[in-house]
Amino acid sequence: MIRELKAEEVESITHMGESFFAEGKLPGSFKSDVFIKTWTNLITLRMGLILVACNGSNEPVGALGAIITPDVNDGEIVAQEAFWFMSPEARGSFAGARLLDAFEKIAQDKGAKRLIMVHLLSLNADKLGKFYERMGYRATEVNFVKIV
C-alpha cells in the first residue's frame, strides 16, 4: 500500500533517513530533529510530499520525499525528489516502482511540468540509471560536492 505521510507522522520514518544517509555515504550528517522540522514545515506549507510504501502490517518499508515548487527560472511547477529509500527487504519488489508511479501522478495532479529524480552514484548507479531511462527520464546534470 502507498500512502501520503501526514506532517505529524514524519518522525515515524527518521530511522529510514538514518539508514539512507549511512548507506548512501552522503556528506554531512543526518539530524532527526532537523529532518522532522523541515519536512513537517514543507508538508504543512504544501511544498513537500512524502509517500510511504507499507507492508502487510502497515509498517513503512520505503519512502519517497519530494519538494514541489515553481522553478526559479521559468515559474513552471517542478517536483524534485529529495530522497527515495527502500529498506533492504523491500528492494526488488514492486513497492519502489509503485512509489515512483504515485509520486509522478500526485506531482502531475499538483501541476508539475517536470519531474526530477536524484541518482546517487554511491547506490546501485548502473541499475538505477537504466531504470530511470526506462521510465522516460534522461540525465541532465551531475552534482559535485566539496566539503569545506
Side-chain angles (χ1 to χ4, degrees), residues 26-133:
L26 299 172
S29 62
F30 182 85
K31 296 180 180 175
S32 296
D33 59 329
V34 174
F35 180 87
I36 293 165
K37 181 178 179 181
T38 301
W39 282 100
T40 298
N41 288 338
L42 287 169
I43 292 168
T44 301
L45 294 170
R46 297 179 171 207
M47 294 176 62
L49 166 73
I50 297 178
L51 298 173
V52 292
C54 297
N55 63 17
S57 302
N58 205 28
E59 296 173 25
V61 295
L64 189 155
I67 297 172
I68 303 173
T69 153
D71 183 279
V72 297
N73 298 304
D74 63 14
E76 288 190 335
I77 302 296
V78 295
Q80 179 160 349
E81 174 239 333
F83 65 86
W84 183 14
F85 179 77
M86 298 302 296
S87 60
E89 67 273 8
R91 292 179 190 160
S93 70
F94 291 107
R98 287 186 189 121
L99 269 176
L100 180 60
D101 288 342
F103 161 65
E104 289 180 345
K105 181 176 181 343
I106 290 170
Q108 289 174 49
D109 288 348
K110 292 180 181 279
K113 301 296 182 204
R114 290 187 296 280
L115 308 174
I116 303 166
M117 295 300 292
V118 174
H119 182 195
L120 291 176
L121 299 177
S122 61
L123 292 174
N124 301 316
D126 293 336
K127 188 176 178 182
L128 186 58
K130 289 175 183 172
F131 172 76
Y132 283 151
E133 288 172 354

